[in-house]
Amino acid sequence: MNDLWGSRAAAAQKASDPRTAWFTQDRYAMFIHWGLFSQAASTWNGKKYYGIAEWLMHPAMAGVSKNDYATLANQFDPQSFDADAWVAFFKRAGVKNIVITAKHHDGFAMFKSKVDTFNIVDGTPYKRDPLKELAQACYKAGIRFGFYYSQYQDWREQGSAAVAWDDPAQKNSFDAYFQHKALPQVRELLRNYGPISVVWFDTPGTMGEKYSRQLVDLVKKYQPQALINSRIGNGVGDYSTYGDNEVPRVSPPGVWEAVDTTNDSWGYSVTDYNWKSPQELLHRLILTTARGGTYMINMGPRADGSFPDIPQAALTEVGDWLKRNGETIYGAQRSPWSIAQPWGDVTTGQNGLYLHVFDWPVGGTHSVALYGLQGKVRSARLLDGGASLAVTQDGDWTRITLPDRRPDALVPVVALDMDGDYRVKDAD
Ligand code: H79
């Protein structure tokens, strides 16, 4: 899916690129899907739709024409948007980087654009540029700022969400759209919003390599430190993005990220209540770190600029856990085992291993076991609270005895103090 394997090989070769150091260090980012689709929120003419809200125009959802869809802009007026409040939430959640939709497939720019009036400043009653305010607030607070730009699909230019670029009904050819809108808008974003952490492209479709390269050249010219994800297409990105909502089961090589939703939609939806629990979100952050990746969790703000309560509370709980246990994620490395353990998962820190116990043993001997660890474990303790724990190393098995009572944490962590030898028998 989404040019995965080809670009992963490209990124693997660049694993030592020093520009990616912060990305693999920080581990945790927030994705923000916000646009005209947030206004519709998966409804149209009083009818509810069940799918990813930002795809409402597609015939498989409401099948809204581009002229009807454009009327959403007349009401788009996010009076509750407060960049500093958003950033305070990012801090509280413990993310180090954010990526926000500057333009999604619907073609609407959430920033001031001189090349197309279909943008939030020129086309809505709001008349402000929220990306400018957000970029500045992030910069002040030391949160990295990146943007999403749908470089291939642009349903406004394509005339419909279902029509391919080579259809004779097109107003524009792909090349014309790319030269008159995509490139100049990405240039605007690269020039007017301060330092950019990540330029996040999506669904390259059949876009040729010359287009991918033009985008790379543009990013290199204005923001040489910015990282580009693999969905630019044609294997020219700096790191690999897995499929939507995919956390790989086996550790992949190279620099990569998993992108996940808090419910089942990216954009705000009034029909989707399938929220992941705080524990499930934390498990997926840990599983991603344990496989060596960076985790980006999505939030879909309401059209008015406020965040829905349930995911906000859930991500705040994860942030509270990170305040006490952050060393197991930030700056941590992948597990010496390339897959998860039966009881949880492992990350590697400065002085040893962190065992994240998802399933606290009930009954029998309260222990977790590791197979094949070669190095010596000097001691074991609960990371939060510090209680020391008994360890035995007998042949291929290392066993840590846990307290009978599960510590009161979203995920309890056992820290193993070791001498730097993390080799594992029969593991890569
Ligand atoms: O921005 C988010 C998604 O909108 C975007 N990628 C993430 C980060 C994305 N682009 N393409 N896809 C997701 C694939 C979408 C497939 C589907 Fe559908 C959309 C399945 C259900 C709705 C279109 C409509 C195809 C089938 C029905």
Side-chain angles (χ1 to χ4, degrees):
M1 183 201 271
N2 298 317
D3 183 41
L4 200 56
W5 295 100
S7 48
R8 184 175 309 145
Q13 290 161 14
K14 297 179 196 161
S16 60
D17 184 339
R19 295 183 314 128
T20 63
W22 69 266
F23 186 81
T24 44
Q25 170 89 19
D26 289 354
R27 296 288 185 212
Y28 191 29
M30 199 177 293
F31 212 174
I32 312 273
H33 273 68
W34 197 37
L36 291 185
F37 46 81
S38 319
Q39 180 82 32
S42 222
T43 66
W44 195 255
N45 286 338
K47 200 164 172 285
K48 291 178 172 180
Y49 294 88
Y50 301 86
I52 48 181
E54 68 282 4
W55 276 68
L56 190 72
M57 286 177 81
H58 197 277
M61 295 216 17
V64 185
S65 75
K66 67 174 188 175
N67 288 336
D68 288 348
Y69 187 85
T71 63
L72 289 168
N74 303 332
Q75 298 121 50
F76 195 77
D77 192 14
Q79 290 298 331
S80 299
F81 171 71
D82 176 343
D84 291 320
W86 279 30
V87 169
F89 169 60
F90 302 152
K91 285 258 179 204
R92 182 84 201 272
V95 297
K96 307 289 189 182
N97 179 37
I98 66 144
V99 175
I100 184 165
T101 48
K103 187 204 80 172
H104 205 268
H105 308 333
D106 63 8
F108 182 75
M110 289 292 283
F111 59 99
K112 164 69 185 174
S113 176
K114 289 187 177 146
V115 301
D116 185 355
T117 56
F118 195 49
N119 73 69
I120 188 163
V121 175
D122 298 313
T124 75
Y126 190 55
K127 296 187 165 52
R128 277 157 56 187
D129 182 341
L131 263 56
K132 188 127 234 172
E133 296 174 26
L134 192 60
Q136 283 167 353
C138 283
Y139 186 77
K140 265 196 310 194
I143 299 274
R144 291 176 196 271
F145 177 86
F147 65 86
Y148 170 112
Y149 191 91
S150 176
Q151 81 280 24
Y152 178 72
Q153 295 191 73
D154 187 311
W155 300 334
R156 188 165 173 85
E157 298 290 308
Q158 289 175 276
S160 153
V163 178
W165 279 112
D166 52 9
D167 190 292
Q170 289 301 335
K171 175 176 105 181
N172 272 317
S173 69
F174 176 76
D175 188 76
Y177 146 74
F178 193 81
Q179 304 304 337
H180 86 72
K181 184 169 178 184
L183 276 180
Q185 285 199 331
V186 171
R187 185 183 294 112
E188 290 176 323
L189 289 160
L190 291 168
R191 292 185 68 179
N192 303 334
Y193 296 84
I196 300 297
S197 57
V198 166
V199 184
W200 213 97
F201 295 110
D202 203 3
T203 54
T206 58
M207 195 178 83
E209 185 173 341
K210 72 167 183 178
Y211 296 111
S212 300
R213 291 208 180 275
Q214 284 186 65
L215 288 168
V216 171
D217 291 346
L218 199 61
V219 174
K220 292 275 175 269
K221 178 169 176 190
Y222 294 109
Q223 301 267 350
Q225 82 297 336
L227 301 180
I228 301 171
N229 75 332
S230 56
R231 294 191 191 176
I232 190 172
N234 301 297
V236 298
D238 294 307
Y239 70 87
S240 296
T241 299
Y242 262 78
D244 291 356
N245 287 296
E246 183 185 8
V247 175
R249 296 177 63 85
V250 181
S251 297
V255 180
W256 60 273
E257 82 183 339
V259 287
D260 235 1
T261 46
T262 36
N263 52 1
D264 293 325
S265 178
W266 301 87
Y268 176 66
S269 166
V270 297
T271 67
D272 185 344
Y273 303 98
N274 193 26
W275 302 109
K276 294 184 178 78
S277 70
Q279 199 174 50
E280 191 177 0
L281 292 166
L282 179 56
H283 284 184
R284 293 172 72 82
L285 167 61
I286 291 165
L287 290 166
T288 302
T289 308
R291 302 280 79 70
T294 292
Y295 186 71
M296 183 154 74
I297 185 65
N298 182 72
M299 172 64 98
R302 297 188 191 93
D304 70 1
S306 65
F307 291 113
D309 298 342
I310 292 174
Q312 182 168 20
L315 294 176
T316 300
E317 269 198 60
V318 173
D320 289 346
W321 182 91
L322 283 164
K323 277 199 185 66
R324 303 180 76 91
N325 303 278
E327 67 188 81
T328 82
I329 303 292
Y330 307 125
Q333 307 297 315
R334 54 162 278 195
S335 168
W337 291 268
S338 51
I339 60 168
Q341 303 290 325
W343 41 260
D345 217 332
V346 181
T347 63
T348 307
Q350 295 291 321
N351 305 308
L353 299 178
Y354 298 112
L355 317 184
H356 302 84
V357 185
F358 296 175
D359 300 310
W360 199 259
V362 281
T365 55
H366 287 73
S367 66
V368 287
L370 292 163
Y371 178 78
L373 190 60
Q374 309 282 288
K376 173 146 179 52
V377 178
R378 290 199 204 105
S379 62
R381 69 192 155 89
L382 285 178
L383 182 63
D384 188 356
S388 76
L389 304 172
V391 190
T392 59
Q393 287 189 283
D394 181 9
D396 288 330
W397 289 97
T398 300
R399 280 199 176 75
I400 298 98
T401 305
L402 303 176
D404 290 355
R405 191 172 174 281
R406 182 190 181 283
D408 185 21
L410 268 185
V411 172
V413 181
V414 173
L416 302 185
D417 182 23
M418 296 182 66
D419 64 4
D421 179 3
Y422 306 127
R423 280 172 307 140
V424 166
K425 187 177 166 181
D426 298 335
D428 60 346

